[in-house]
Amino acid sequence: MGWVGKTLDRFIGEIAPMIGSKRMLARRAMGLAMNYDAAARGRRTEGWKAPATDADAAAFGSRERLRQLSRDMVRNRPYAARAREVVVSNVVGTGIVPSVVHGDAAKQAKIWAVLREHLLTPALDARGELDLYAQQEVVIGTVFTDGEVLARRRIRRGKYARDLPLGFQIELLECDYLDTTITSWGANEVIEGVEYSPIGDIEAYHLFREHPGAARMRGAPLISERVSWRDILHIRRLDRPGQLRGVPWLAPVMLTMGDLSDYQEAEILKQKMAALLAGVVTYDKDDAGAEDVKKLRGLSKLEPGAVVAAPQGAQVSWTTPPRVEGYPEFVRENLGAVSMGIGITRESLTGDLSGVNFSSGRMGRMEMDRNVERWQRLVIGQFCAGVERWVREAWRLQQVLPAEEFALAHTAPRRPLIDPNDEIDAMVKAVEAGVNSRQNVQRTLGLDPEQIRRERAEDQNKDTEANLAPVAVQGLPSAREARAKANIQEKQA
């Protein structure tokens, strides 16, 4: 700080001590911040944006634009569509399977018979098209593309129940249904269609009766209605404390994917130009004439092996098409950045397994599997748990069977094993050593322990009725021991 600044600080301190004190504190804070190069303001950090906004304010006003861009990328950019399919197939797969948890096996079977008819059939869908597994697929796909999705409970009574096992259906809604024009409801604040209580809890959602961008418009103005939070499931990924709204998962990589797509289009045009070979005929102006120009027609119909005579005095020079270099390396690095930004592996995004061995493939899968498990908890905790709450409420109100307290457990789809022999052997050893439970291992493989227990009991009863010897399960050697024993026997032979 120069003598001018010191003189100014001394002058302000004499006239206004409080202001002078604030200037000194601010100057010290700035000095501490300058110890970090990233906090400095200069040429290297020019253009960096660091607004002091909370999680929801960061996307306020631009959330709709982000959704539209993300949807367009999924429609028209192959790698965006592929990334969405990778996330959906790994998180949901064939479906996150619900199962009834109850102490009485007979009552458990009766409860599950009712729930199966409602949850695992299109009766669950308000449009009569999707069962629970298909809805899970739409939910995680929409969360990926739009950042969030709404599931609305539709109560069905009387003739609208249509012989439903339980008196409710689920309607999946895009967040375009949120009425962003409402700013308050009594003492509650409404932000982007979501109504918050004075303590910050979500109390209701203000939803349009039709999609604002629907092709089938009834001509009437859009009218929104207030829907209690009890009838809405708001599924989204929460990345920051206090975050209540979601953003598309492609948001961090949109620019990279757009630039990559533009680069690919330019390279395709360049390849087309490289495939063109043109000949330029030049001649002295004294030798040029109409008859000579007519003789050039043969050059325009060059074919392999053709011999064409050029006019007298003419010289033919061939163009040099551009060469395409560095294309694979550039695309590979950019696709690696895109896959990392989304949270999947480059191999799963591109389908390119060249240069991948067992160790590298397993390491990449392990990292991706952790992300998949987190996303599965998102679907189970926000969607499946909400559906369970609606099921229990409908069960108590309708008294389908004598009131029974039960819970639902959810099993994620099985994770494909890279080396089944060694991995299953390791699971068996973990159970035998007491560091894992058999039920947890079964759920890891995407299996329902209760179903396995029932089927094993059925197998045992049927074998007994057929006078078949029981299959020895306990004491079976592990796969590794069996292979070792086979090797020893082979050597001895």
Side-chain angles (χ1 to χ4, degrees):
M1 182 175 61
W3 66 271
V4 177
K6 293 180 180 179
T7 304
L8 182 60
D9 285 345
R10 191 180 302 110
F11 177 76
I12 293 176
E14 292 291 338
I15 302 301
M18 292 297 295
I19 297 178
S21 176
K22 291 180 179 180
R23 284 174 57 86
M24 292 179 61
L25 292 176
R27 195 180 300 280
R28 289 182 180 179
M30 182 62 70
L32 292 174
M34 291 307 175
N35 290 330
Y36 291 92
D37 293 338
R41 300 179 184 274
R43 178 181 57 82
R44 296 179 63 188
T45 60
E46 185 178 359
W48 288 16
K49 297 180 180 179
T53 54
D54 67 3
D56 290 325
F60 183 81
S62 59
R63 189 172 279 109
E64 181 179 359
R65 173 68 172 168
L66 288 174
R67 286 200 306 267
Q68 294 170 355
L69 290 174
S70 180
R71 293 169 183 171
D72 182 74
M73 285 196 167
V74 171
R75 285 193 298 263
N76 298 307
R77 313 286 173 125
Y79 288 115
R82 170 63 179 170
R84 182 182 184 275
E85 292 303 316
V86 169
V87 171
V88 171
S89 61
N90 280 272
V91 174
V92 174
T94 56
I96 299 176
V97 181
S99 59
V100 178
V101 180
H102 194 280
D104 191 324
K107 292 181 179 179
Q108 180 185 25
K110 291 181 179 179
I111 295 172
W112 175 240
V114 177
L115 297 186
R116 182 176 62 245
E117 291 300 319
H118 189 71
L119 298 179
L120 304 187
T121 64
L124 180 65
D125 185 22
R127 298 181 181 272
E129 298 176 351
L130 307 176
D131 62 0
L132 179 63
Y133 300 149
Q135 287 191 354
Q136 293 171 359
E137 181 178 347
V138 175
V139 163
I140 187 61
T142 308
V143 170
F144 175 87
T145 305
D146 297 357
E148 52 191 346
V149 67
L150 302 176
R152 181 176 181 178
R153 176 173 61 174
R154 293 286 191 175
I155 303 297
R156 304 301 188 196
R157 297 187 180 92
K159 64 178 182 179
Y160 298 103
R162 294 182 299 179
D163 299 328
L164 295 176
L166 297 177
F168 77 94
Q169 291 181 313
I170 298 177
E171 181 182 12
L172 298 180
L173 303 174
E174 293 181 324
C175 285
D176 303 65
Y177 278 84
L178 290 170
D179 187 355
T180 59
T181 61
I182 299 177
T183 58
S184 63
W185 186 269
N188 293 342
E189 185 179 18
V190 181
I191 302 176
E192 293 186 304
V194 183
E195 180 181 330
Y196 301 93
S197 69
I199 62 174
D201 294 337
I202 296 179
E203 285 198 357
Y205 294 81
H206 294 262
L207 303 176
F208 291 119
R209 296 179 181 177
E210 293 182 346
H211 194 292
R216 182 181 61 87
M217 298 297 292
R218 300 172 184 173
L222 287 174
I223 300 176
S224 62
E225 56 184 347
R226 185 178 184 268
V227 182
S228 173
W229 68 271
R230 294 183 178 276
D231 293 324
I232 296 293
L233 301 179
H234 191 180
I235 303 97
R236 70 281 193 201
R237 189 177 69 183
L238 306 179
D239 299 320
R240 293 176 57 183
Q243 181 177 349
L244 296 174
R245 298 292 306 275
V247 294
W249 292 13
L250 291 177
V253 298
M254 280 185 181
L255 288 177
T256 302
M257 295 192 72
D259 293 340
L260 178 60
S261 180
D262 294 340
Y263 171 75
Q264 288 180 310
E265 292 294 332
E267 288 293 342
I268 291 175
L269 180 59
K270 194 174 180 181
Q271 288 281 14
K272 291 180 179 180
M273 295 174 61
L276 298 176
L277 185 63
V280 180
V281 179
T282 60
Y283 46 82
D284 297 334
K285 60 181 181 179
D286 295 337
D287 298 334
E291 296 298 330
D292 294 335
V293 174
K294 293 180 180 180
K295 296 179 181 179
L296 296 178
R297 293 179 180 177
L299 292 174
S300 64
K301 298 180 180 180
L302 284 177
E303 297 177 357
V307 178
V308 180
Q312 183 178 3
Q315 296 181 353
V316 181
S317 58
W318 301 101
T319 59
T320 304
R323 299 179 59 185
V324 179
E325 298 178 353
Y327 177 78
E329 294 80 7
F330 180 84
V331 173
R332 180 184 179 87
E333 293 300 321
N334 278 271
L335 290 178
V338 170
S339 60
M340 286 189 296
I342 296 174
I344 59 179
T345 61
R346 191 191 66 84
E347 290 74 24
S348 63
L349 177 64
T350 63
D352 180 16
L353 299 178
S354 60
V356 178
N357 54 31
F358 175 80
S359 299
S360 61
R362 180 175 175 81
M363 291 297 294
R365 273 290 308 276
M366 289 173 61
E367 187 69 25
M368 177 177 166
D369 286 343
R370 295 189 185 96
N371 292 334
V372 170
E373 291 175 359
R374 291 169 44 229
W375 301 335
Q376 288 172 342
R377 288 202 307 269
L378 181 151
V379 177
I380 294 174
Q382 297 184 17
F383 180 68
C384 296
V387 173
E388 177 184 356
R389 173 169 60 84
W390 290 343
V391 165
R392 293 161 64 90
E393 291 177 359
W395 192 277
R396 287 193 295 267
L397 290 175
Q398 294 181 234
Q399 298 181 355
V400 181
L401 293 173
E404 294 289 345
E405 290 297 329
F406 64 90
L408 292 181
H410 299 90
T411 303
R414 67 182 296 270
R415 177 180 60 86
L417 303 178
I418 298 178
D419 189 352
N421 290 332
D422 290 340
E423 293 187 59
I424 292 179
D425 188 19
M427 293 177 184
V428 172
K429 289 187 175 181
V431 173
E432 293 175 350
V435 298
N436 203 349
S437 66
R438 185 173 61 184
Q439 294 184 23
N440 188 44
V441 169
Q442 291 169 346
R443 293 189 185 279
T444 302
L445 296 175
L447 304 173
D448 182 6
E450 295 296 332
Q451 182 179 357
I452 293 177
R453 189 176 291 108
R454 290 195 303 268
E455 292 178 353
R456 289 183 61 185
E458 292 174 0
D459 291 341
Q460 185 175 359
N461 293 334
K462 291 181 179 180
D463 290 346
T464 303
E465 294 175 357
N467 295 324
L468 297 177
V471 178
V473 177
Q474 300 293 336
L476 280 177
S478 65
R480 185 176 301 173
E481 293 173 348
R483 289 197 301 270
K485 184 177 180 180
N487 292 335
I488 293 175
Q489 292 176 353
E490 183 178 354
K491 290 180 180 179
Q492 291 176 352

